Amino acid sequence: MSRLQFYGNDVCPFAYRVRLALAEKAIEHESHTVDLLNIPAWYYAISPSGKVPLVKQGGEVVWESTVINEFLEDAYPEIPLLPKDPVARARARIWIEFCNTVFQPNYCGLVFELDENKQGGIRGVLQDSLKSLDEGLAKSAPGPYWLGEQISLVDLAYYPFFEHAPVLSYYRGFDIQTKYSHLHHWLAAMRERPSVRDNQREAEFYIEAYKPYVDGTASK
Ligand SMILES: N[C@@H](CCC(=O)N[C@@H](CS)C(=O)NCC(=O)O)C(=O)O
């Protein structure tokens, strides 16, 4: 198999999902940074969506972070990041779906919404989704991770948004971490993962990097 090429940017939470999967699965790859404030023509030439992340293997490209992570799971099964049991796999995908359709859109909605009146409604929905996540974690199998003892693609789908959370507290006064004890313990376990330790960035990095987005000078 030819060496996998990864295209991302350290400020992108979706790209971070894939960086974590590459690290957890110990997949050899070459990493390329795409300037998100000035996406180069060469990137548009290989990326159907024009967004990061994207992986390229041989002549084929795969994009959309959670699809990429499923692709990595299929193509590099040696270190699995999904359970074997079909029902457990389906449950894992339901959590990822909730992240992509409820938690993340409201999270990003609050970051990027410049109209304070509209931010109010989003705050409520985001708070409700955090409560659902915490209740879900309370009911999951014993262990530090989302599905119990083993880290999975579910943890990787959610974690980047929690690492980026200082952006929400700094710019929007919204703290996602204090109220929910199960989320708090999960986050503490994630921060101990070598994959996270090797890739994490400081709060100040995110606060600075998000500035053009939250003050409206950059498009999302
Ligand atoms: N649903 C996509 C979202 C990817 C995405 O929105 N990436 C942003 C950076 S965080 C991007 O590339 N933006 C550039 C643009 O839209 O021009 C995924 O999960 O991969």
Side-chain angles (χ1 to χ4, degrees):
M1 238 190 303
S2 63
R3 202 179 172 93
L4 189 95
Q5 306 293 314
F6 164 69
Y7 298 84
N9 185 297
D10 282 3
V11 78
C12 174
F14 306 100
Y16 197 7
R17 288 168 159 176
V18 176
R19 274 193 287 136
L20 291 175
L22 290 167
E24 288 291 342
K25 293 173 92 58
I27 297 171
E28 277 193 33
H29 64 281
E30 282 170 26
S31 192
H32 308 271
T33 297
V34 177
D35 180 354
L36 294 176
L37 294 174
N38 185 17
I39 295 175
W42 63 260
Y43 189 65
Y44 282 120
I46 60 167
S47 165
S49 69
K51 293 178 190 283
V52 296
L54 174 143
V55 295
K56 188 162 171 251
Q57 185 121 62
E60 302 293 341
V61 293
V62 179
W63 63 100
E64 280 295 328
S65 56
T66 50
V67 177
I68 295 172
N69 279 0
E70 292 255 4
F71 162 73
L72 296 176
E73 182 68 4
D74 291 340
Y76 299 87
E78 295 78 10
I79 301 175
L81 289 175
L82 279 176
K84 281 201 167 37
D85 172 65
V87 173
R89 287 169 88 84
R91 294 265 152 76
R93 289 176 174 130
I94 289 167
W95 277 121
I96 294 169
E97 179 77 2
F98 185 79
C99 188
N100 286 343
T101 57
V102 181
F103 174 67
Q104 175 268 312
N106 285 291
Y107 179 108
C108 291
L110 186 54
V111 172
F112 295 127
E113 181 55 66
L114 302 179
D115 180 340
E116 284 186 18
N117 294 325
K118 291 188 188 153
Q119 286 173 10
I122 305 174
R123 279 169 201 274
V125 184
L126 185 56
Q127 202 62 260
D128 289 348
S129 71
L130 284 163
K131 190 163 176 280
S132 303
L133 296 181
D134 199 61
E135 288 168 359
L137 276 173
K139 289 183 201 143
S140 75
Y145 304 113
W146 214 280
L147 303 180
E149 289 297 335
Q150 300 299 323
I151 193 164
S152 73
L153 294 183
V154 182
D155 301 288
L156 275 41
Y158 283 95
Y159 176 75
F161 300 98
F162 286 82
E163 187 175 303
H164 287 221
V167 169
L168 272 183
S169 48
Y170 184 84
Y171 289 110
R172 302 289 182 243
F174 188 99
D175 192 346
I176 70 172
Q177 286 166 39
T178 44
K179 277 166 74 168
Y180 301 104
S181 65
H182 296 95
L183 277 173
H184 192 78
H185 286 119
W186 165 77
L187 194 54
M190 287 303 292
R191 289 203 165 118
E192 292 302 315
R193 293 297 294 186
S195 62
V196 168
R197 286 174 163 240
D198 289 347
N199 286 286
Q200 70 191 340
R201 304 296 299 249
E202 298 294 321
E204 293 71 30
F205 167 79
Y206 294 117
I207 288 168
E208 187 58 31
Y210 272 71
K211 200 166 183 295
Y213 300 97
V214 296
D215 69 11
T217 54
S219 56
K220 309 166 207 165

